[in-house]
Amino acid sequence: MLEEKYDAVTGPRAAPAQHGEAAFFDVDNTLMRGASLFHVARKMHQRGAFTLPEVAGFAWKQFMFILRGENMDDVHAVRDSALTLAAGITVADVEALGEEVYDEMIESRIWPGAKALAEQHLRVGRKVWLVTGTPIEVATVISTRLGLTGALGTVGEIVDGAYTGRLVGEILHGPAKAMAVRGIAESEGLDLTRCWAYSDSHNDIPLLGMVGHPVAINPDSRLRRHARENNWPVYDFRSGRRAATLGLKAATVGGAVYGLWRGTSRLRGPGH
């Protein structure tokens, strides 16, 4: 149960820091409607970075990825393609793109209910981290704009301000998220049994299962079933009906990363 302290005159007031406690939020379809990198890909299309046939191919890859379900073989295959396309792109390009996409496309898609949960954790003195497969540069923009503590995201190796085409570690997906959170817990002195985690995807069950307060938000069918079997709270912020999974999940870790790097690879210009 989240607790909130009030001042008789001014209303809600910040509580002392809750040492050892934190909350971890997935981003795509948990904190926001849809997938962040899908909107990055849309922005790249607006800039003429790729054509309509390429957009159609991008959408088909997303569809097939969802139809088959996510597995680590798929993730590794997409990772290899994405890294090849990423080599040579500058960090400044991705950071600037992240700022634009947040202002124009992401901000309006933040779930008010999920944002309220994050803000309530902050008000009672808990740190709030985003944990996402999105590149850390984009995840950091979202975290900063929302006033959160920080972000854990996929980290690309950078030399002289440009991506080398290699990762530092793995795509932050599935079990890798749990490992990253465990690392933060050790460095921050967190007691995971007193921490919260929020996600929409069954792929994040390793993360949800390692904290004392797991919460399913807008869950897919497998996570909804798992949450019900384990008596986890379920919040569904999709109005009026269950949102179409293929629409909201159109850019999960595989297709979304592919779409981002397929578009931004052309930022390098001719000769690369």
Side-chain angles (χ1 to χ4, degrees):
M1 177 72 69
L2 298 180
E3 298 176 355
E4 185 171 1
K5 297 184 178 181
Y6 288 81
D7 183 279
V9 176
T10 60
R13 59 184 174 86
Q18 300 295 315
H19 297 294
E21 299 181 9
F24 299 93
F25 282 77
D26 174 46
V27 172
D28 296 344
N29 204 31
T30 299
L31 184 66
M32 62 170 284
R33 183 174 72 254
S36 51
L37 287 183
F38 176 71
H39 301 297
V40 173
R42 283 182 56 198
K43 186 67 176 177
M44 294 309 304
H45 171 57
Q46 290 176 5
R47 290 184 174 186
F50 48 78
T51 65
L52 283 175
E54 288 171 326
V55 172
F58 168 63
W60 177 251
K61 287 179 183 294
Q62 311 288 14
F63 175 79
M64 292 304 296
F65 196 21
I66 299 300
L67 188 65
R68 290 193 303 264
E70 295 178 353
N71 63 69
M72 295 312 297
D73 288 340
D74 288 336
V75 171
H76 290 159
V78 172
R79 174 200 62 190
D80 295 340
S81 297
L83 290 175
T84 299
L85 293 166
I89 301 173
T90 68
V91 175
D93 284 334
V94 175
E95 290 176 342
L97 189 68
E99 295 283 352
E100 290 183 29
V101 169
Y102 183 87
D103 288 334
E104 297 176 19
M105 300 173 182
I106 292 179
E107 185 175 23
S108 63
R109 291 172 171 82
I110 299 292
W111 296 109
K115 182 181 178 184
L117 287 170
E119 291 173 343
Q120 194 171 0
H121 281 294
L122 291 171
R123 282 198 297 272
V124 300
R126 298 188 187 98
K127 293 183 177 181
V128 178
W129 298 82
L130 300 184
V131 188
T132 175
T134 295
I136 187 61
E137 292 78 13
V138 178
T140 298
V141 169
I142 300 172
S143 173
T144 300
R145 293 299 190 89
L146 292 176
L148 307 182
T149 306
L152 305 175
T154 298
V155 178
E157 183 184 64
I158 299 167
V159 174
D160 296 328
Y163 294 98
T164 65
R166 294 184 292 271
L167 285 182
V168 178
E170 291 290 325
I171 290 177
L172 206 61
H173 173 263
K177 285 187 179 181
M179 292 178 61
V181 167
R182 192 173 295 281
I184 284 289
E186 292 175 357
S187 64
E188 296 279 323
L190 301 176
D191 179 353
L192 288 173
T193 66
R194 295 164 53 201
C195 290
W196 278 253
Y198 300 83
S199 179
D200 71 298
S201 174
H202 70 277
N203 291 299
D204 289 339
I205 288 175
L207 168 60
L208 293 167
M210 68 188 287
V211 300
H213 305 282
V215 180
I217 292 183
N218 308 322
D220 60 30
S221 59
R222 291 174 64 181
L223 178 57
R224 184 180 294 274
R225 182 170 60 252
H226 189 88
R228 183 171 59 247
E229 292 171 351
N230 289 274
N231 200 30
W232 293 353
V234 175
Y235 297 150
D236 200 324
F237 301 129
R238 296 167 291 193
S239 60
R241 58 179 175 81
R242 293 190 64 191
T245 301
L246 295 181
L248 288 174
K249 299 291 288 182
T252 52
V253 58
V257 172
Y258 176 84
L260 170 65
W261 297 131
R262 181 67 184 92
T264 54
S265 63
R266 297 195 177 188
L267 288 174
R268 292 171 291 179
H272 292 275

